Amino acid sequence: MIYTSSHIYLDYAATTPLDARVGEVVAAAMNEVYGNASSVHAFGRRAKVVLEECRELIAKNIGAETSEIFFTSGGTEADNHALVGTALAQRRDARKDHIIVSAVEHHAVLDCVEYLASLGFRISYVPVDTQGKINVDELQKLITPQTAVVSVMHANNE
């Protein structure tokens, strides 16, 4: 938690201060490995090697496959990638067209499901109580064989 004389920062669900050690590694990488990892020139190939090493390290540390690790520029892009990608794949592969989200999702998620609704997906909103918690029984009632995605916020910055 960051304290100043007049401010207390509590929005760690959105972003956190950078650890100085991480900053040093990032700065070194940005100064030494600055090629476009999609380019075929030497700078790009070096960047691709470093990127893949990072992907492997992250996958190993969380028990995932490297093919499951995606790097995005931030939360909104990640929400779009996960929700839109999963919903479209589920509709294509399993003919599922139903999405459930909590009523208090971040606007990035709500914007995503509005977009998916414009593509013909059916959207259900699971309500929350005064503490912002969903009722699991209510959620279970909404799930059908056509449900492709369920998105429920774990922590709210508000």
Side-chain angles (χ1 to χ4, degrees), residues 6-116:
S6 61
H7 297 90
I8 298 173
Y9 182 75
L10 297 173
D11 197 7
Y12 280 66
T15 191
T16 59
L18 189 63
D19 183 284
R21 296 167 295 178
V22 173
E24 290 172 14
V25 172
V26 169
M30 293 177 75
N31 286 315
E32 298 167 19
V33 188
Y34 46 83
N36 178 343
S38 297
S39 295
V40 295
H41 51 63
F43 296 101
R45 290 192 309 270
R46 174 68 180 128
K48 179 73 169 184
V49 166
V50 170
L51 180 67
E52 293 309 319
E53 288 172 351
C54 291
R55 188 183 317 275
E56 290 172 12
L57 181 64
I58 292 167
K60 179 182 175 188
N61 279 296
I62 65 171
E65 298 294 324
T66 56
S67 62
E68 297 173 306
I69 305 300
F70 295 89
F71 297 108
T72 64
S73 64
T76 297
E77 183 183 351
D79 289 342
N80 278 273
H81 181 74
L83 295 173
V84 174
T86 301
L88 293 176
Q90 285 290 302
R91 182 166 68 180
R92 180 193 67 225
D93 298 342
R95 305 284 187 243
K96 295 183 177 190
D97 67 351
H98 179 231
I99 298 168
I100 302 169
V101 296
S102 77
V104 295
E105 290 299 305
H106 188 277
H107 67 86
V109 170
L110 296 176
D111 290 347
C112 255
V113 297
E114 283 181 29
Y115 169 72
L116 290 165

Side-chain angles (χ1 to χ4, degrees), residues 100-146:
I100 302 169
V101 296
S102 77
V104 295
E105 290 299 305
H106 188 277
H107 67 86
V109 170
L110 296 176
D111 290 347
C112 255
V113 297
E114 283 181 29
Y115 169 72
L116 290 165
S118 78
L119 298 179
F121 283 87
R122 295 174 298 113
I123 313 298
S124 296
Y125 297 89
V126 62
V128 298
D129 65 17
T130 58
Q131 299 296 310
K133 297 178 183 177
I134 65 164
N135 180 312
V136 176
D137 292 332
E138 291 297 317
L139 172 61
Q140 287 177 329
K141 288 177 190 175
L142 292 172
I143 297 173
T144 74
Q146 293 309 113

